[in-house]
Amino acid sequence: MTYSYIIKHPVLKTVFKTEDTDMALWGGRFQGETSALFKLFNDSLPVDYRLFEQDVVGSIAWADAIASVGIITAKECTDLKAALNELLVEVGNDPQAIISNGAEDIHSFVEQKLIAKVGDLGKKLHTGRSRNDQVATDLKLWCKKEGAALLARLGTLHAELIALAEREVDAVMPGYTHLQRAQPVTFGHWALAYVEMYERDISRLQDALNRADSCPLGSGALAGTAYPIDRHALAAALNFARPTLNSLDSVSDRDHVVELCSAASISMMHLSRMAEDLIFFNSGEANFISLADEVTSGSSLMPQKKNPDALELIRGKTGRVYGSLMGILTTMKALPLAYNKDMQEDKEGLFDVVDSWAICLDMAALVLSGLKVNRPQALVAAQQGYANATELADYLVAKGMPFREAHHVVGEVVVFAIGEQKPIEDLSVAELQKFANVISDDVYPNLTIEACLEKRDVLGGTAINQVQAVIAAKKA
Ligand code: ARG
């Protein structure tokens, strides 16, 4: 039987050298051969090769741990660590070479290479350790490293938005509710809304990383290692804040994967909303902004087109990130303690989530850095759509009319103005007085864009000095 999808598989595409395939870590118990299909199905090296560095670093710490309890001598420990460090350099130079190896997973790969270097000594390293605590440790180390890189990327995007808010602090644009022009705001104020969102994303990710900062190594297969390892020292050697406290939980916990996917999903939701706002602002209909050539593409047919592909891809990739979150939640649902092979499915989605989130953060920052606001067009739009109707109602309130009544009166004014095809401020005092006789000449200064903005001079409001104060505080 042939399997058409096998050709897509990086391992089975390769003709294995027999010494590679004979290296399964669990051969002794078995008399029959495993089928090629099972190997294809079971092997995780094509995915988990990305844990190489963490597997070696974890192995170095484990060598010290077993030396400290006399399982290997100090000399053996030195030799093992030297070989592992050598491997780190060799593979670091050619990481793609890992996946052409026929080993079952990254742990088998590292052990196989170690044995090739130091012979029987290499076979001692796995004493007291299981791939269950090993993979849990590797993956947490990976999450911590990638998480730190993601925090830096979020920081860059945050800085880019603050810079945009500063450049466009007084650029007026319409603010929307229901995608109907509602009240004027500034572009700076719009940018700061996303700053708030990304700050929450940063704190959510930090929070998740703090919880992930416990070391499972020394938990063995599930019941704890049988050697009196100092797990506090081991955790410290691997730069974890603390060791885990229950071996069953240690090998079966994938909360850090779920939490990273969840933090990514929420952040991607924010990125997709920002992308959608900008796609709309960039549309021919709105034309409030223009995007740099470097982040747009053309149409193969229509020569005039300049499409916001970068933003559309951010919006689109949000879907696959959510998909991976659902995937890991569903994989973990109702899994019995402790390790189950289902959990091998944790990595592909996580890696894709982290890659997608990272590139979207970078792309969003690049889009913002080259974004130009078309101020005249945005101002004209802000002046249309009766965005100053609330100001007229507030004016009537100041003249003593209860707000509910003022709201009704202004509604009638707007209907009249629409009929006249005029904005409110172009109606005469005589026309306005038909609706409320308290209206006089002093109404007009209240109806300007400047007045609309200046009146929102409250913490969190769109008044320019408020936005400037927030920018200054964020920068400090
Ligand atoms: N490749 C496995 C995974 O990623 C490693 C752990 C294997 N453990 C086991 N008991 N078979 O989950």
Side-chain angles (χ1 to χ4, degrees):
M1 197 184 293
T2 59
Y3 300 96
S4 58
Y5 53 84
I6 288 181
I7 52 163
K8 291 192 207 137
H9 189 281
V11 170
L12 290 200
K13 241 178 15 190
T14 312
V15 181
F16 307 127
K17 292 180 256 125
T18 41
E19 66 270 26
D20 288 347
T21 42
D22 285 348
M23 285 306 297
L25 299 178
W26 32 261
R29 163 76 175 74
F30 293 81
Q31 285 160 354
E33 295 280 309
T34 51
S35 84
L37 179 61
F38 176 75
K39 182 164 173 56
L40 165 71
F41 196 59
N42 185 58
D43 283 5
S44 57
L45 189 66
V47 174
D48 65 21
Y49 75 92
R50 290 180 67 171
L51 300 177
F52 168 74
E53 190 189 310
Q54 288 72 26
D55 202 71
V56 173
V57 167
S59 294
I60 289 171
W62 188 245
D64 278 327
I66 58 175
S68 74
V69 293
I71 295 166
I72 54 173
T73 66
K75 162 85 172 79
E76 286 176 322
C77 181
T78 308
D79 292 349
L80 275 179
K81 291 199 295 184
L84 286 164
N85 276 315
E86 232 176 77
L87 189 58
L88 206 51
V89 175
E90 282 166 22
V91 176
N93 292 336
D94 186 14
Q96 279 305 103
I98 300 180
I99 53 173
S100 63
N101 180 286
E104 179 185 339
D105 57 23
I106 190 60
H107 326 294
S108 319
F109 172 84
V110 170
E111 189 167 320
Q112 176 207 113
K113 292 289 173 193
L114 190 63
I115 293 168
K117 279 184 184 298
V118 295
D120 282 350
L121 173 59
K123 298 180 182 171
K124 292 189 179 182
L125 179 63
H126 209 56
T127 316
R129 184 175 72 166
S130 158
R131 278 185 296 166
N132 298 352
D133 59 349
Q134 197 178 351
V135 72
T137 306
D138 290 1
L139 197 54
K140 275 188 169 176
L141 286 171
W142 190 88
C143 287
K144 284 178 54 168
K145 182 180 175 198
E146 295 297 322
L150 285 163
L151 282 173
R153 292 187 147 96
L154 277 161
T156 304
L157 176 60
H158 183 267
E160 208 56 74
L161 267 170
I162 302 265
L164 175 65
E166 211 168 13
R167 286 199 300 280
E168 305 296 349
V169 69
D170 55 350
V172 182
M173 62 182 252
Y176 293 83
T177 61
H178 314 272
L179 215 50
Q180 305 275 313
R181 280 174 218 161
Q183 290 172 343
V185 293
T186 63
F187 210 85
H189 197 55
W190 173 90
L192 290 185
Y194 286 98
V195 165
E196 292 297 318
M197 295 183 224
Y198 298 126
E199 284 183 6
R200 292 197 294 273
D201 291 345
I202 289 169
S203 97
R204 205 168 353 252
L205 177 57
Q206 268 163 345
D207 211 34
L209 293 174
N210 288 342
R211 259 189 303 282
D213 205 2
S214 60
C215 180
L217 201 56
S219 298
L222 75 164
T225 187
Y227 300 90
I229 304 283
D230 177 352
R231 292 194 54 232
H232 285 280
L234 182 56
L238 286 171
N239 273 322
F240 279 102
R242 57 196 175 273
T244 56
L245 297 179
N246 180 286
S247 61
L248 290 169
D249 178 52
S250 303
V251 296
S252 69
D253 169 31
R254 292 295 182 275
D255 288 4
H256 40 289
V257 179
V258 176
E259 286 200 63
L260 214 55
C261 291
S262 165
S265 294
I266 295 172
S267 182
M268 287 297 298
M269 181 253 295
H270 295 150
L271 284 163
S272 76
R273 294 186 69 175
M274 186 173 82
E276 172 61 17
D277 269 358
L278 293 174
I279 289 166
F280 167 62
F281 297 164
N282 183 60
S283 66
E285 282 63 31
N287 193 23
F288 303 157
I289 60 167
S290 61
L291 301 172
D293 285 357
E294 59 175 352
V295 296
T296 48
S297 83
S299 157
S300 59
L301 179 80
M302 299 163 283
Q304 83 283 10
K305 292 289 285 290
K306 184 174 159 189
N307 297 325
D309 296 43
L311 295 166
E312 290 173 330
L313 280 168
I314 289 172
R315 199 173 56 180
K317 284 177 192 292
T318 305
R320 65 196 270 179
V321 171
Y322 289 6
S324 294
L325 171 62
M326 281 307 123
I328 185 64
L329 281 170
T330 312
T331 295
M332 296 307 294
K333 175 185 175 291
L335 269 193
L337 284 178
Y339 179 84
N340 300 271
K341 197 61 172 263
D342 314 43
M343 289 156 62
Q344 180 166 283
E345 292 296 318
D346 57 359
K347 293 168 207 68
E348 209 168 338
L350 173 69
F351 293 166
D352 188 63
V353 161
V354 167
D355 292 345
S356 300
W357 189 13
I359 199 166
C360 288
L361 290 169
D362 290 352
M363 188 48 65
L366 185 62
V367 169
L368 293 175
S369 71
L371 183 156
K372 297 265 178 299
V373 177
N374 183 354
R375 288 180 175 228
Q377 188 72 25
L379 177 63
V380 166
Q383 283 162 333
Q384 293 167 352
Y386 302 95
N388 55 0
T390 313
E391 290 356 277
L392 180 57
D394 284 340
Y395 169 86
L396 292 174
V397 168
K399 297 278 178 183
M401 193 181 284
F403 178 75
R404 189 51 55 216
E405 194 181 326
H407 184 281
H408 186 81
V409 166
V410 176
E412 290 174 339
V413 172
V414 169
V415 173
F416 175 75
I418 291 172
E420 298 291 301
Q421 296 187 8
K422 286 178 180 172
I424 298 174
E425 61 274 23
D426 283 3
L427 299 178
S428 67
V429 173
E431 284 171 318
L432 287 168
Q433 279 178 342
K434 283 192 223 145
F435 299 93
N437 55 19
V438 291
I439 298 178
S440 64
D441 249 358
D442 62 354
V443 69
Y444 296 110
N446 291 276
L447 300 178
T448 64
I449 286 278
E450 293 73 23
C452 294
L453 294 175
E454 273 162 29
K455 280 178 68 184
R456 268 77 206 176
D457 190 3
V458 62
L459 181 66
T462 193
I464 290 164
N465 58 310
Q466 289 290 342
V467 174
Q468 278 165 336
V470 175
I471 292 171
K474 302 270 186 207
K475 282 173 73 176

